[in-house]
Amino acid sequence: MHIQTARSAPENIKADLLAIGHYEGVSRLNATVQTLDKALDGMLAAEIAEQRFEGKTGQTLLLATHGALPAKRILLVGLGKRALLTLNTVRKAAAASVRKAKEVSAKTIATTLLGAEQGDLKPEQIAMAIAEAALLADYEFLAYKTQDKEEAERRIIETLTVIESERRRIAAIERGIAGGRINSEPVIYARNLVNEPASQLTPARLLDEAKKMAELPGVTLEYFDEAQAGEKGMGAFCGVAQGSDEPSYFIHLTYRPRGQGVKKRIVLIGKGITFDSGGLSLKPAQHMETMKIDMSGAAAVLAVFSALPDIRPHLEIHGIIPATENMPSGRAQKPGDVVRTISGKTIEVVNTDAEGRLTIADALGYAQALEPDTIIDLATLTGSCVVALGEEVAGLFATDPRLGQRIKDAAERSGEPVWEMPLVESYEEFLKSDIADFRNIAKVRYGDAIVAALFMKQFAGDTPWAHLDIAGPAWQERADNPMIPKGATGFGIRTLLELIKHL
Ligand code: BES
Ligand code: ZN
Ligand code: ZN
């Protein structure tokens, strides 16, 4: 989808579909709607009443113009209550417009700067939100579809034009559109990786993607195969890797900004289990169906790196991905095995399906040598977190309240819901092992999202560390949110980018 801006009034723009915002609970039509309504002989006002269009956020009303206007269709899109308008409202409205446009095979869409008249949001921010949401809503994963090609082609949107009548706003809108692309393209990249079947998206393929990132300006790559990781002492990572026939890699990307001015050193860790069968603690079939998504954290880290040359932060950023499958085999690690981590601490592997925390324990240990100011990991870590927060909200754990708050703020601005969970100190008791320093699952049944976070905390040292459990929001089964497609969502990336921009 090409996104551009044009100087035009809504009544003059030629497009297959023209999206116009409408607030909830206002009886008088806004000036734009009035003008269009006039050209349509009052049809728009009549339809609003007829269809009981309320203007709730993301609600839409479609009307064909039959030649009365240069635009073939008008789409009224709800912006909710005027006083409550935020960038997230604009995103939802833009995404709903794009989904509707796809439904009716509109090739060219135009939209006004949704919500601009309300006055709180700047044209650049609005254009950015529109472009970002439009690209995210347009996404479909069609790599393996051989049938219904024509139908898919009918859904392709060629251009989206953000129209604006005042010349002085055009440059800001252009900047916004560029920013929207920078935010959404990494998300789309990550969705493609996560949607790819595990037979294709192997640890070696994750390494290939990291190699691509290493070609970007400022980015370098170091990686270790299983033998090298073993020599480094990453016994927890190697324990998970040993059951798999696919070669495993411990991947370390580094971004260094040009010249002086490095303020901080950040480490991002992404869980990179390209398939989680559970290992010998085998998952039941139903729980295994979507386990190709267990590298969503890794995809998010790679995606963030893809955007760094565009946002050029004055931060040194490390991306660490322990990439392996978790498979049962004659060589697989067994429940009861004890592994030694790079930190020297030992772990009794009571359940081989709690593998993410094992690989991340070594990633955290490895990161210590980098002497970072902050470590953040993203992991599809626990079913328990999905039980607690559902499929749309990520669990956030932070050892440093300021870091936690920063992540919450960034998540709020990007519209990705996170909820902070407690690191309940007394639960650390449950991690005591009779034979090693720690066990990888608790002796009790409940609260595993917290227990898993407490387990990893043992390896984070004194570095402020935050953990995002994205097991729920990394994947979407329903198709009811226009911004979030079925399948891989690319959750967490926009929050990380927002955080990096503000650090
Ligand atoms: N990858 C899973 C967690 C998961 C569950 C991700 C659902 C996405 C959706 C993780 O490795 C796992 O298997 N966790 C176990 C831990 C248990 C053995 C303590 C779980 O949550 O069941
Ligand atoms: Zn598992
Ligand atoms: Zn897993």
Side-chain angles (χ1 to χ4, degrees), residues 271 276 294 355 380:
K271 176 173 173 181
D276 183 9
D294 220 15
E355 83 298 339
T380 44

Side-chain angles (χ1 to χ4, degrees), residues 144-397:
Y144 296 97
K145 289 274 191 192
T146 68
Q147 311 283 296
D148 309 324
K149 279 261 175 217
E150 269 175 43
E151 211 192 294
E153 255 160 50
R154 253 181 270 138
R155 290 194 299 267
I156 293 174
I157 296 170
E158 283 158 13
T159 56
L160 166 64
T161 309
V162 181
I163 59 168
E164 168 58 44
S165 43
E166 286 184 52
R167 181 196 298 275
R168 62 185 175 88
R169 285 173 155 186
I170 293 290
I173 293 172
E174 262 161 11
R175 280 197 305 277
I177 291 171
R181 239 183 220 293
I182 290 172
N183 272 4
S184 54
E185 271 170 2
V187 178
I188 287 164
Y189 164 78
R191 286 177 181 175
N192 282 336
L193 291 186
V194 176
N195 279 325
E196 198 64 52
S199 60
Q200 301 299 312
L201 204 293
T202 57
R205 174 70 194 284
L206 280 181
L207 176 61
D208 284 344
E209 296 301 318
K211 284 179 180 166
K212 282 187 208 163
M213 297 312 151
E215 282 166 21
L216 299 170
V219 181
T220 55
L221 169 69
E222 227 186 326
Y223 65 90
F224 311 108
D225 64 18
E226 244 174 283
Q228 290 167 322
E231 280 161 27
K232 285 208 167 290
M234 296 195 250
F237 168 66
C238 290
V240 176
Q242 76 188 42
S244 161
D245 285 346
E246 288 288 339
S248 308
Y249 298 98
F250 189 91
I251 299 168
H252 176 187
L253 283 162
T254 305
Y255 165 85
R256 286 193 182 84
R258 258 172 191 275
Q260 301 287 303
V262 177
K263 287 198 208 120
K264 273 187 175 167
R265 190 175 295 142
I266 313 283
V267 172
L268 302 176
I269 299 173
K271 176 173 173 181
I273 301 295
T274 61
F275 188 76
D276 183 9
S277 71
L280 286 177
S281 311
L282 197 66
K283 285 182 184 294
Q286 266 205 330
H287 289 190
M288 218 189 282
E289 284 171 6
T290 57
M291 278 305 132
K292 66 175 184 184
I293 74 161
D294 220 15
M295 37 59 73
S296 297
V301 170
L302 288 166
V304 166
F305 268 78
S306 75
L308 294 180
D310 288 317
I311 58 178
R312 274 174 273 154
H314 292 294
L315 300 164
E316 186 177 303
I317 303 177
H318 296 263
I320 298 178
I321 299 170
T324 179
E325 294 182 328
N326 184 27
M327 296 292 277
S329 82
R331 280 180 294 123
Q333 71 178 344
K334 303 163 190 77
D337 280 359
V338 174
V339 293
R340 187 180 301 272
T341 60
I342 192 168
S343 68
K345 294 173 184 161
T346 56
I347 303 166
E348 179 188 1
V349 181
V350 178
N351 188 313
T352 64
D353 196 11
E355 83 298 339
R357 61 196 79 175
L358 293 171
T359 62
I360 293 173
D362 267 338
L364 287 164
Y366 173 89
Q368 296 305 308
L370 303 170
E371 299 183 342
D373 297 292
T374 304
I375 307 179
I376 302 170
D377 79 77
L378 276 88
T380 44
L381 204 70
T382 66
S384 161
C385 199
V386 191
V387 172
L389 299 175
E391 290 180 287
E392 292 182 18
V393 183
L396 166 68
F397 298 83

